[in-house]
Amino acid sequence: MVGRLPSRPVGTATRGTTHPNRLRRMDRWIAHAHGPALRRASEEPLAVDLGYGAAPWTAVELLTRLKRVRRDVRVVGLEIDPARVAAARPYAREGLDFRPGGFEVPLERRPLLIRAANVLRQYAEEEVRGAWERLAARLAPGGLLVEGTCDEIGRRHVWVALGPEGPRTVTFAARLAGLDRPSDLAERLPKALIHRNVPGEPVYAFLRDFDRAWAAAAPYGALGARQRWVRAVQALADGWPLVDGPGRWRHGEVTVQWHALAPRTSPAPRRSG
């Protein structure tokens, strides 16, 4: 049972940019990291694709990928723009629905997963914490909120995973072919971190150390970008609290505990006028 919700969607419509397979890296990680919780659920698990955009592809793909983990999973795509909801509804099917909604997540029961990709990028940094708290409060027990940003075709992606208690981890994921250096991912940092990639902030130090490890692993590039990435991440593990291992690194991923990258100071309030 859920509490009383606002009568109107909470939030602002995104630009709506979307492409097929844009969120494949995030979805692959969710299936791995959150798969056990989905399988343990006593009833059909509910997942939300928040702010899916002008086309429904990401919600359709999320259903397909989560069904490999749990056959009876349900996905609901939520959008603030009524025209986007109307355009998506012809793609509804068993286990997939599209409804109007925003940060209030107006569903009949709490979801086990909320995915919010490329949603908070348009908000001010000081608004992120409130949005995180509001979304995390809508989760079912054992639920997960995944919020992050990627490029237009999903080659580079960074996301934060959160539970009801707050942020847990940050994951960096990339298509390794064509990656010049790990700090290229800085342009896809989520809103909570993108303005913190400056000297004195932990995320800046992490990307600096990652670039140094990448440079030192250059000889392994002869064996392919994947081997170079794995060797660089192995070196990075000496000084940073990584929470995954080579099985994930080979996918072009690395996940770090949130506390190691969290901003050192609160964001300055936005000036009015």
Side-chain angles (χ1 to χ4, degrees):
M1 208 56 190
V2 296
R4 187 174 180 180
L5 298 171
S7 58
R8 306 176 77 175
V10 176
T12 304
T14 64
R15 289 187 305 150
T17 305
T18 188
H19 293 284
N21 271 326
R22 187 183 189 189
L23 302 183
R24 62 194 180 278
R25 301 182 193 282
M26 179 184 274
D27 289 351
R28 182 173 60 196
W29 182 87
I30 289 171
H32 165 75
H34 202 43
L38 293 170
R39 287 188 286 267
R40 286 193 304 267
S42 59
E43 60 180 330
E44 59 181 23
L46 178 62
V48 169
D49 185 11
L50 182 68
Y52 56 83
W57 316 135
T58 60
V60 172
E61 292 165 354
L62 181 61
L63 176 67
T64 299
R65 290 162 183 156
L66 293 185
K67 274 186 171 292
R68 296 170 188 159
V69 175
R70 174 83 182 241
R71 292 297 302 171
D72 62 346
V73 69
R74 287 183 54 214
V75 172
V76 176
L78 294 181
E79 256 295 345
I80 288 177
D81 186 344
R84 294 178 184 175
V85 177
R89 278 184 170 153
Y91 295 87
R93 64 191 69 174
E94 183 178 356
L96 178 62
D97 193 14
F98 298 92
R99 302 183 190 179
F103 294 138
E104 78 286 1
V105 189
L107 301 178
E108 66 278 5
R109 59 188 176 91
R110 298 183 186 277
L112 197 57
L113 169 71
I114 299 175
R115 185 187 65 183
N118 304 299
V119 171
L120 292 181
R121 187 68 174 246
Q122 67 187 8
Y123 290 82
E125 184 184 355
E126 66 268 19
E127 296 176 289
V128 170
R129 182 67 63 167
W132 279 357
E133 291 175 353
R134 185 161 203 161
L135 290 171
R138 302 297 300 154
L139 291 170
L144 188 71
L145 165 63
V146 183
E147 185 273 312
T149 305
C150 68
D151 66 1
E152 287 72 13
I153 58 175
R155 294 169 301 180
R156 297 172 184 175
H157 208 155
V158 187
W159 59 83
V160 181
L162 307 95
E165 79 286 357
R168 297 173 178 172
T169 61
V170 184
T171 299
F172 298 78
R175 180 177 182 270
L176 298 179
L179 184 71
D180 187 30
R181 57 180 64 87
S183 60
D184 290 347
L185 286 160
E187 64 183 15
R188 299 301 165 185
L189 287 167
K191 193 69 178 191
L193 294 174
I194 194 165
H195 300 304
R196 302 312 183 114
N197 186 31
V198 293
E201 288 285 350
V203 71
Y204 176 89
F206 174 79
L207 290 172
R208 177 202 63 205
D209 289 355
F210 205 169
D211 279 353
R212 289 173 178 171
W214 178 256
Y220 291 94
L223 303 175
R226 179 179 299 179
Q227 287 299 319
R228 184 178 181 182
W229 175 272
V230 168
R231 291 290 178 170
V233 174
Q234 285 176 335
L236 199 62
D238 290 339
W240 293 91
L242 308 187
V243 299
D244 50 12
R248 302 310 304 172
W249 302 343
R250 285 192 287 269
H251 289 290
E253 293 176 11
V254 60
T255 298
V256 192
Q257 291 182 16
W258 164 260
H259 71 80
L261 303 186
R264 288 186 171 171
T265 58
S266 299
R270 177 188 284 178
R271 294 181 180 179
S272 59

